[in-house]
Amino acid sequence: MQRIGILTSGGDSPGMNAAIRAVVRKAIYHGLEVIGIKRGFNGFIEGDMEPMRLGSVADIIHRGGTILHTARSEQFKTPAGRAKAWENVERFGLEGLVVIGGDGSFTGASIFHREYGLPVVGIPGTIDNDISGTDYSIGFDTAVNTAVDAINKIRDTATSHERTFIVEVMGRDTGFIAVAAGLAGGAESILIPEHPFSIEEVCHKLCKGYRRGKLHSIIVVAEGAGSGLEIGKQIKERTGFDTKVTILGHLQRGGTPTAFDRILASQLGARAVELLMQGATSKMVGMSAGKIVETNLDLVLGQKKTVDLDVYRLASILAI
Amino acid sequence: MQRIGILTSGGDSPGMNAAIRAVVRKAIYHGLEVIGIKRGFNGFIEGDMEPMRLGSVADIIHRGGTILHTARSEQFKTPAGRAKAWENVERFGLEGLVVIGGDGSFTGASIFHREYGLPVVGIPGTIDNDISGTDYSIGFDTAVNTAVDAINKIRDTATSHERTFIVEVMGRDTGFIAVAAGLAGGAESILIPEHPFSIEEVCHKLCKGYRRGKLHSIIVVAEGAGSGLEIGKQIKERTGFDTKVTILGHLQRGGTPTAFDRILASQLGARAVELLMQGATSKMVGMSAGKIVETNLDLVLGQKKTVDLDVYRLASILAI
Amino acid sequence: MQRIGILTSGGDSPGMNAAIRAVVRKAIYHGLEVIGIKRGFNGFIEGDMEPMRLGSVADIIHRGGTILHTARSEQFKTPAGRAKAWENVERFGLEGLVVIGGDGSFTGASIFHREYGLPVVGIPGTIDNDISGTDYSIGFDTAVNTAVDAINKIRDTATSHERTFIVEVMGRDTGFIAVAAGLAGGAESILIPEHPFSIEEVCHKLCKGYRRGKLHSIIVVAEGAGSGLEIGKQIKERTGFDTKVTILGHLQRGGTPTAFDRILASQLGARAVELLMQGATSKMVGMSAGKIVETNLDLVLGQKKTVDLDVYRLASILAI
Amino acid sequence: MQRIGILTSGGDSPGMNAAIRAVVRKAIYHGLEVIGIKRGFNGFIEGDMEPMRLGSVADIIHRGGTILHTARSEQFKTPAGRAKAWENVERFGLEGLVVIGGDGSFTGASIFHREYGLPVVGIPGTIDNDISGTDYSIGFDTAVNTAVDAINKIRDTATSHERTFIVEVMGRDTGFIAVAAGLAGGAESILIPEHPFSIEEVCHKLCKGYRRGKLHSIIVVAEGAGSGLEIGKQIKERTGFDTKVTILGHLQRGGTPTAFDRILASQLGARAVELLMQGATSKMVGMSAGKIVETNLDLVLGQKKTVDLDVYRLASILAI
């Protein structure tokens, strides 16, 4: 093996740069060449690719975003698009590909591998943490800390008033960010798609809290569980409480990655290179039970990962 | 003068605790006693008041919120409410009152002074910075930094995509936070109530930017200029651009105060005590042209402060 | 079981408050009473203890330090001191004790258990991460992020100059903080007590880097590996490079705990209560391979935990 | 005027990039061309210069350090060095020069102006804030916030122990950072070069505090007032108190600039371009009494700026 490609795809997440750095430096350390592919599969199709050197990844470990840029590619979903990408594989002499992204990106990589045989290794990079085969995806820890930081700030003002605060966090169809941020932030309620809830119940809990002397309540809402603004409106209608809503949105995707995300990204990136060198054909690297592990890409794509409801319940017990 | 009262009123802002600390310690330094009044004018009416000592304000200088809690009081707007407050003035032997808050709080304080003659000194504490007689109110610098931090994070992800991002910030009827955060954050557009704008214009600028190669645009919207969600919807309808919205909401009110806000709060708090000792009857302390100054409360209340449009234009020039 | 005690002991670490909150609320949830013991074993000996309620731990989850205060107790090392503590166990009717701290604290707790039979459960709380039986101790993740944040800032100025920067971090006799912060911060060299090094080697690497065009180098020094100032002096003498030293010191012990530390603290605190309720007599809770586990206190105390040298080598490879 | 040069020189400070961005964009807005000069006067001498466009300064407003790099130049102190720089002025067709830096940089710029007549405008950029003609230099507010953040963290752990903490901050021969950070951080003592102190006095105050029940003390030491380690040793010898030292060092020079520094940098940068266009020959822009002002460079260099001792005394009163 002499030359590998690397791209970031789908929604970006903090720590992707640390993963790129690890792949590039680990590969160069072992004598490989690395071709950086810009804007995800789009750049792969268009041949927007160039060699990366040690210096290409200097001083990026602490930067949010991805220096390779990212995009969602409609064209790569078509055989014609993938055929063009294959031309670039041949043109640049790639013998392996590292794809940093989420489910959608891995699906594309997996199909491409099946069609053309190029060895691919996926690195899970998404703040949503909704990828099987790894306990943590790169960016999740940073996103949770960003959400918790927001809850902290709201808590400051909450203790000065008598109000209900709603914080809408990301997570697509899952409640990973909501549960972790809600537990760590000491939120009174956490609304997630994995656990049914009714507004009546939420209001009942709020009223009980106020009767017991709670001066304020913070409710974390996963975007997959409903709109923060809509839920706020309903609570106000039913309880009359002054309800204030914060929608974090894409700021959860940015920021300097935490130490955890950088270390995870460094380990996964290095392991991805080792796997390609050892002849892996279609794998994802991940962290499971504290260890760096690999899983077949198809297995990753076939499974749905859901929130640990024990942790969800713990958050509820500790917020009494 | 032997004993003064202190309360925080209206919306809270980071740095209020630093101001409380300064008032309490400066007063004790000069041999005065200080009575802390809880929950703004509500606690004043209900007699929810207690003596403060040096230790009462230990380790609070870095805390957001206010240890005295705050509230908006409907009752203090009535003569009956104020009469009850006056009873507490007599019961606790107060000879002066320091009120930390905004316009509404100062209006109440001013009326109370006129009716009962109690000397009052206001300290401007609001993130909105919409108080005349001072260039900066306590909490503004912190709120701006919070908004800028959010813009930074969005910028990380913005450079990885091709999108329009909207950040809705606070400011009530003014654009102070929006202009400062937009300039400091390098936002492409800033929408404020003080400066008319049309969605057509905003979209035109966006399209021009994209044609020139801009990969992303960040638009800061002051809450007084419209709803971020609504403006985002309109931009998407007209341009087709993927538009993502962040609503910061009350998290702008929290957080550890910046050094600037703590120093301002310390200076204003100390000066407020000096003014009461020197026989001031109805003043507000502020910072103007880099100096600590005082203004008659009535003058403060009679004037409207607006954003410096030169700074607004500078932001626009630098974002080309 | 009706009543348990809780104390924090030894050096404090961020997240101890989150652990206290978890113990108190989980215990109350199960109908137990909790007695908070102040200033570690000192308060235990002196009877500086009082009941904790749900409200006692409100709004502390995000606070650094420990609301119970902590201390190192010489007196508890004596039979006389422990006898006095036992009197307080009887006086307050404690049937179990939760000790949050490190090795020294657990040694005291273990001896006390052997002498008097009081069931004890330890929760590992130290930034140094040098406790066996758990992959992470509470506070470690926060301390690493604090050190990484410092490295980030130095990196900013480093890229503008041509210099060698040394950052001395904590860790007692171990290099856990140094390795994690060095890897996550992208440091050029990491000096730890677990891995022998010579100044010649360090200087050789520095010179090689400069010849290859590196504009700056950041060296992380674990306090157990030597004095940052002394190492800086030696490097300057040998290479003539301008060498700047930062000593982080106790600021690594403070700060708002990260989400990771709060979640870990919440899980360990809740599990500690369960263990006492299930009749555990002398255990420590910890996190191993991603799971909450328990270990006999004696086993914890008998083992030495050392840095993963694979991670250390990875840091070195990625910093080429 | 058609073309101007810009360089950053001396120690870097956070916000320099925001100033570069403002100069470049304001100049281009007015139809000027801008040549970026690398590594301060060194690049000026060596002709390490290249044109800057709108895109050259995209996404740098929030970055610490300076994209133009900086250095101290011994060669520019010699007539031969300046003669070479003049050759580059002619080669690149520069009609004006913006120098972002401190006293030393302005001295060089002033001499160069006198010798060769090139119009120069200085922008004060140094964390030390020791430049006359401006109330604030770019980077000072960020450095103070960095120091205050460190004090906050130490305060967390301080409240859990019974100790004396020393934080050594930068400031060269002045106490600007120490006084601002000490006041904002609520430090018990502040040691600065502008105000004589004796160790006896410091220890006396410490002992008095402990007798009155203070659990801890934080002492901020300006580097110009002595070595933090040395002062810590002396305090320990005299009082026996456990004394812990943090040396912030160069991390004060880094970090994302605060909103204040970015706004200041934007305003000063824009004004510098206006001044050159209006025919200024040797000026420095600054902020005085809340306004953007200009001063003759020679006047700036002839004056010494010292700390406001009223603020120093206020810090002392509020820390009782």
Side-chain angles (χ1 to χ4, degrees):
Chain A
M1 177 157 290
Q2 288 195 314
R3 196 176 295 155
I4 61 172
I6 177 170
L7 60 79
T8 49
S9 166
D12 62 335
S13 70
M16 280 188 165
N17 279 329
I20 295 168
R21 171 181 179 267
V23 169
V24 170
R25 295 211 163 157
K26 175 77 173 179
I28 291 175
Y29 176 82
H30 288 295
L32 303 184
E33 290 170 14
V34 184
I35 304 294
I37 302 164
K38 299 285 181 67
R39 294 175 296 114
F41 292 117
N42 285 340
F44 201 24
I45 291 166
E46 299 164 20
D48 190 359
M49 299 155 68
E50 58 182 33
M52 302 190 78
R53 320 203 181 289
L54 290 179
S56 313
V57 292
D59 289 322
I60 66 164
I61 196 171
H62 59 311
R63 296 264 160 85
T66 148
I67 57 165
L68 292 175
H69 298 261
T70 174
R72 299 186 200 278
S73 172
E74 287 307 313
Q75 224 190 325
F76 198 72
K77 292 183 184 163
T78 68
R82 293 192 295 273
K84 279 197 190 163
W86 177 248
E87 284 172 25
N88 286 315
V89 170
E90 293 193 309
R91 188 151 71 95
F92 283 86
L94 302 187
E95 295 165 74
L97 179 68
V98 175
V99 173
I100 308 174
D103 266 7
S105 315
F106 293 164
T107 303
S110 176
I111 294 172
F112 191 70
H113 166 70
R114 242 178 291 132
E115 289 178 346
Y116 294 97
L118 184 74
V120 293
V121 175
I123 298 178
T126 161
I127 62 166
D128 302 321
N129 203 30
D130 58 352
I131 303 174
S132 285
T134 190
D135 293 345
Y136 299 101
S137 57
I138 299 168
F140 173 64
D141 187 60
T142 305
V144 170
N145 276 288
T146 298
V148 167
D149 183 50
I151 296 173
N152 284 353
K153 287 186 171 142
I154 287 167
R155 184 172 292 285
D156 278 339
T157 187
T159 60
S160 303
H161 277 92
E162 291 163 16
R163 270 177 179 165
T164 302
F165 294 89
I166 291 177
V167 183
E168 183 188 309
V169 300
M170 283 190 158
R172 289 210 308 180
D173 306 328
T174 69
F176 285 100
I177 295 179
V179 168
L183 171 56
E188 271 69 20
S189 294
I190 305 173
L191 308 183
I192 56 172
E194 289 93 337
H195 193 272
F197 65 91
S198 71
I199 291 290
E200 282 77 17
E201 217 182 312
V202 173
C203 292
H204 178 72
K205 200 169 163 188
L206 277 177
C207 294
K208 221 175 86 184
Y210 280 103
R211 277 197 301 273
R212 260 202 19 242
K214 274 211 182 223
L215 291 181
H216 61 273
S217 285
I218 297 175
I219 302 174
V220 173
V221 178
E223 60 178 342
S227 144
L229 283 172
E230 187 51 40
I231 289 169
K233 226 173 89 186
Q234 291 180 26
I235 290 175
K236 189 162 189 178
E237 278 168 20
R238 277 159 209 258
T239 62
F241 292 156
D242 192 10
T243 305
K244 302 289 176 183
V245 181
T246 290
I247 299 178
L248 292 179
H250 272 62
L251 74 86
Q252 291 162 92
R253 288 243 178 108
T256 296
T258 58
F260 185 94
D261 273 331
R262 298 187 202 185
I263 293 172
L264 178 65
S266 299
Q267 291 182 306
L268 296 184
R271 185 73 188 125
V273 172
E274 284 174 1
L275 284 180
L276 283 176
M277 291 176 68
Q278 291 164 7
T281 55
S282 174
K283 298 278 184 185
M284 187 194 80
V285 289
M287 173 185 273
S288 178
K291 295 241 165 329
I292 303 302
V293 298
E294 62 248 26
T295 317
N296 282 328
L297 257 189
D298 290 343
L299 226 68
V300 168
L301 293 168
Q303 284 175 337
K304 205 173 145 49
K305 188 168 131 190
T306 49
V307 151
D308 181 345
L309 288 176
D310 282 348
V311 176
Y312 178 77
R313 276 184 287 268
L314 177 60
S316 174
I317 288 173
L318 299 187
I320 47 172
Chain B
M1 177 158 290
Q2 287 196 314
R3 196 176 296 156
I4 62 173
I6 177 169
L7 60 81
T8 50
S9 166
D12 61 335
S13 70
M16 281 188 165
N17 279 329
I20 295 169
R21 171 180 179 267
V23 169
V24 169
R25 295 210 165 158
K26 175 78 172 177
I28 292 175
Y29 177 81
H30 289 294
L32 303 184
E33 290 171 12
V34 184
I35 304 295
I37 303 164
K38 300 285 180 68
R39 293 173 299 114
F41 292 117
N42 285 340
F44 202 22
I45 290 167
E46 300 163 20
D48 190 359
M49 300 155 68
E50 58 181 33
M52 302 189 79
R53 321 204 181 287
L54 289 179
S56 314
V57 292
D59 289 322
I60 66 164
I61 195 171
H62 59 312
R63 297 264 159 85
T66 148
I67 57 164
L68 292 176
H69 298 261
T70 173
R72 298 185 201 281
S73 172
E74 287 307 313
Q75 223 189 325
F76 199 72
K77 292 182 184 164
T78 68
R82 293 192 295 274
K84 279 198 190 163
W86 177 247
E87 283 173 26
N88 286 316
V89 169
E90 293 194 309
R91 186 150 71 95
F92 283 85
L94 302 187
E95 294 165 74
L97 178 69
V98 175
V99 173
I100 307 173
D103 267 7
S105 315
F106 293 165
T107 303
S110 176
I111 293 172
F112 191 70
H113 167 70
R114 242 178 293 131
E115 288 178 347
Y116 295 96
L118 185 73
V120 293
V121 175
I123 298 178
T126 161
I127 62 166
D128 302 321
N129 204 29
D130 58 352
I131 303 175
S132 285
T134 190
D135 293 346
Y136 299 101
S137 57
I138 298 168
F140 173 65
D141 187 61
T142 304
V144 170
N145 275 289
T146 298
V148 167
D149 183 51
I151 296 173
N152 284 353
K153 288 189 169 138
I154 287 167
R155 184 171 293 284
D156 279 338
T157 187
T159 61
S160 304
H161 278 93
E162 292 164 13
R163 270 179 179 163
T164 302
F165 292 90
I166 291 176
V167 183
E168 184 189 309
V169 300
M170 283 189 158
R172 289 210 306 179
D173 308 327
T174 69
F176 284 100
I177 294 179
V179 168
L183 172 55
E188 271 70 19
S189 294
I190 305 172
L191 308 183
I192 57 172
E194 288 93 337
H195 193 271
F197 66 90
S198 71
I199 291 290
E200 282 77 17
E201 216 183 312
V202 174
C203 292
H204 179 71
K205 199 169 164 190
L206 276 178
C207 294
K208 221 174 84 184
Y210 280 104
R211 277 197 301 272
R212 261 200 22 241
K214 272 211 182 223
L215 291 181
H216 62 273
S217 285
I218 297 174
I219 302 174
V220 174
V221 178
E223 61 178 341
S227 144
L229 282 172
E230 187 52 40
I231 289 170
K233 226 172 89 185
Q234 292 180 26
I235 289 175
K236 188 161 189 178
E237 278 167 19
R238 278 157 208 258
T239 63
F241 292 157
D242 193 10
T243 305
K244 301 289 175 184
V245 181
T246 290
I247 299 177
L248 292 180
H250 272 62
L251 74 87
Q252 293 162 91
R253 289 244 177 107
T256 296
T258 58
F260 185 94
D261 273 330
R262 299 188 202 183
I263 292 173
L264 179 65
S266 299
Q267 290 182 307
L268 296 185
R271 185 73 188 123
V273 172
E274 285 174 1
L275 284 180
L276 283 176
M277 291 175 67
Q278 291 164 7
T281 54
S282 173
K283 298 277 185 187
M284 187 193 79
V285 288
M287 172 184 274
S288 178
K291 295 242 166 327
I292 304 303
V293 298
E294 62 248 25
T295 318
N296 282 329
L297 257 189
D298 291 342
L299 226 66
V300 168
L301 293 169
Q303 285 175 336
K304 204 173 145 52
K305 187 167 134 191
T306 50
V307 150
D308 182 345
L309 288 176
D310 282 348
V311 176
Y312 178 78
R313 275 184 288 267
L314 177 60
S316 174
I317 289 172
L318 299 187
I320 48 172
Chain C
M1 178 158 290
Q2 287 195 316
R3 195 176 296 156
I4 61 173
I6 178 170
L7 60 81
T8 50
S9 166
D12 61 334
S13 70
M16 280 187 165
N17 279 330
I20 295 169
R21 172 180 178 269
V23 168
V24 170
R25 296 210 164 158
K26 174 78 174 177
I28 291 175
Y29 176 81
H30 288 295
L32 302 185
E33 290 171 12
V34 185
I35 304 294
I37 303 164
K38 300 284 179 69
R39 294 174 299 112
F41 292 115
N42 285 341
F44 202 22
I45 291 167
E46 299 165 20
D48 190 359
M49 299 155 67
E50 58 182 33
M52 302 190 78
R53 321 204 181 287
L54 290 179
S56 313
V57 293
D59 289 322
I60 66 165
I61 196 170
H62 58 313
R63 296 265 159 86
T66 149
I67 57 163
L68 292 175
H69 297 261
T70 174
R72 299 186 201 280
S73 173
E74 287 308 312
Q75 222 190 325
F76 198 71
K77 291 182 184 163
T78 67
R82 292 192 296 273
K84 279 197 189 162
W86 177 248
E87 285 173 25
N88 287 315
V89 169
E90 294 194 309
R91 187 150 71 94
F92 284 84
L94 302 186
E95 295 164 75
L97 178 69
V98 175
V99 172
I100 308 173
D103 267 7
S105 314
F106 293 164
T107 304
S110 176
I111 293 172
F112 191 70
H113 165 70
R114 241 178 293 130
E115 289 178 347
Y116 294 98
L118 184 74
V120 295
V121 175
I123 298 178
T126 160
I127 62 166
D128 301 322
N129 203 29
D130 58 352
I131 303 175
S132 285
T134 191
D135 293 347
Y136 299 101
S137 56
I138 298 168
F140 173 65
D141 186 62
T142 304
V144 170
N145 275 289
T146 298
V148 167
D149 184 51
I151 296 173
N152 284 353
K153 287 187 170 143
I154 287 167
R155 184 172 293 283
D156 279 338
T157 187
T159 60
S160 303
H161 277 92
E162 293 163 13
R163 270 179 179 163
T164 302
F165 293 90
I166 291 176
V167 183
E168 183 188 309
V169 301
M170 284 190 158
R172 289 210 308 181
D173 306 328
T174 71
F176 285 100
I177 294 179
V179 168
L183 172 55
E188 271 70 21
S189 293
I190 305 172
L191 308 183
I192 56 172
E194 289 93 337
H195 193 272
F197 65 92
S198 71
I199 291 291
E200 282 78 17
E201 218 182 312
V202 173
C203 292
H204 178 72
K205 199 170 164 188
L206 276 178
C207 294
K208 223 175 83 184
Y210 280 104
R211 278 197 302 271
R212 262 200 20 241
K214 274 212 181 220
L215 291 181
H216 63 273
S217 285
I218 297 175
I219 302 173
V220 173
V221 179
E223 62 178 341
S227 144
L229 283 172
E230 186 52 39
I231 289 169
K233 225 172 90 184
Q234 291 180 27
I235 290 175
K236 189 162 189 177
E237 278 167 21
R238 277 159 210 256
T239 62
F241 293 157
D242 193 9
T243 305
K244 301 288 175 185
V245 182
T246 290
I247 300 177
L248 293 180
H250 273 60
L251 73 87
Q252 292 163 91
R253 289 245 177 106
T256 295
T258 58
F260 184 95
D261 273 331
R262 298 188 202 183
I263 292 172
L264 179 65
S266 298
Q267 291 182 304
L268 296 185
R271 185 73 187 123
V273 172
E274 284 174 1
L275 284 181
L276 283 176
M277 291 176 68
Q278 290 164 6
T281 54
S282 173
K283 299 278 185 185
M284 187 193 81
V285 289
M287 171 185 274
S288 178
K291 295 243 165 329
I292 303 302
V293 297
E294 62 248 26
T295 317
N296 282 328
L297 258 189
D298 290 343
L299 226 66
V300 167
L301 294 168
Q303 285 176 335
K304 204 173 145 50
K305 187 168 132 192
T306 50
V307 151
D308 182 344
L309 288 176
D310 282 348
V311 177
Y312 177 78
R313 274 184 288 268
L314 177 60
S316 175
I317 288 173
L318 299 187
I320 48 174
Chain D
M1 177 157 292
Q2 287 196 315
R3 196 176 295 155
I4 62 173
I6 178 170
L7 61 81
T8 49
S9 167
D12 61 336
S13 70
M16 280 188 164
N17 279 330
I20 295 169
R21 171 181 179 267
V23 169
V24 170
R25 295 211 164 158
K26 174 79 174 177
I28 291 175
Y29 176 82
H30 289 295
L32 302 185
E33 289 170 13
V34 184
I35 304 294
I37 303 164
K38 300 285 180 68
R39 293 174 299 114
F41 292 117
N42 285 341
F44 202 23
I45 291 167
E46 299 164 19
D48 190 359
M49 299 155 66
E50 58 183 33
M52 301 189 81
R53 321 203 181 290
L54 289 179
S56 314
V57 293
D59 289 322
I60 67 165
I61 196 170
H62 59 312
R63 296 265 159 85
T66 149
I67 58 164
L68 292 175
H69 297 262
T70 174
R72 300 186 200 280
S73 172
E74 286 307 312
Q75 223 189 325
F76 198 71
K77 291 182 183 164
T78 68
R82 293 192 295 273
K84 280 197 188 162
W86 178 247
E87 285 173 24
N88 287 316
V89 169
E90 294 194 306
R91 187 150 71 93
F92 283 85
L94 302 187
E95 294 165 74
L97 179 68
V98 175
V99 173
I100 307 173
D103 267 7
S105 314
F106 294 165
T107 304
S110 176
I111 293 172
F112 191 70
H113 166 70
R114 241 177 293 132
E115 288 177 348
Y116 294 97
L118 184 74
V120 294
V121 175
I123 298 177
T126 161
I127 62 166
D128 302 321
N129 204 28
D130 58 352
I131 302 174
S132 285
T134 190
D135 292 346
Y136 299 101
S137 57
I138 298 167
F140 173 65
D141 187 61
T142 304
V144 170
N145 275 288
T146 299
V148 167
D149 183 50
I151 296 173
N152 284 352
K153 288 188 169 140
I154 288 167
R155 183 172 293 285
D156 279 337
T157 188
T159 60
S160 303
H161 278 91
E162 291 162 15
R163 271 178 179 163
T164 301
F165 293 89
I166 291 177
V167 183
E168 182 188 310
V169 299
M170 283 190 158
R172 288 211 308 181
D173 307 328
T174 69
F176 285 100
I177 295 178
V179 168
L183 173 54
E188 270 70 21
S189 293
I190 304 172
L191 308 183
I192 56 173
E194 289 93 338
H195 192 272
F197 65 91
S198 70
I199 291 291
E200 282 77 18
E201 217 182 312
V202 174
C203 293
H204 178 71
K205 200 170 163 186
L206 277 178
C207 294
K208 223 175 84 184
Y210 280 103
R211 277 197 302 270
R212 264 205 13 244
K214 274 210 183 224
L215 290 181
H216 62 273
S217 285
I218 297 175
I219 302 174
V220 174
V221 178
E223 61 178 343
S227 144
L229 282 172
E230 186 52 40
I231 289 170
K233 226 173 89 185
Q234 291 180 26
I235 289 175
K236 189 164 188 174
E237 278 168 19
R238 278 159 209 258
T239 62
F241 292 158
D242 192 11
T243 305
K244 301 289 175 184
V245 181
T246 289
I247 299 178
L248 292 180
H250 272 62
L251 73 88
Q252 292 163 91
R253 289 243 177 106
T256 295
T258 58
F260 184 95
D261 272 331
R262 298 188 201 184
I263 292 172
L264 179 65
S266 298
Q267 291 182 306
L268 295 185
R271 185 73 188 125
V273 172
E274 285 173 2
L275 284 181
L276 283 176
M277 291 176 67
Q278 291 163 7
T281 54
S282 173
K283 298 276 185 187
M284 187 194 80
V285 289
M287 173 185 273
S288 179
K291 295 242 165 332
I292 303 303
V293 298
E294 62 247 25
T295 317
N296 282 329
L297 257 189
D298 290 342
L299 226 67
V300 168
L301 294 168
Q303 285 175 337
K304 206 173 145 49
K305 187 168 133 192
T306 50
V307 150
D308 182 344
L309 288 176
D310 282 348
V311 176
Y312 178 77
R313 274 184 288 267
L314 176 60
S316 174
I317 288 173
L318 299 187
I320 46 172

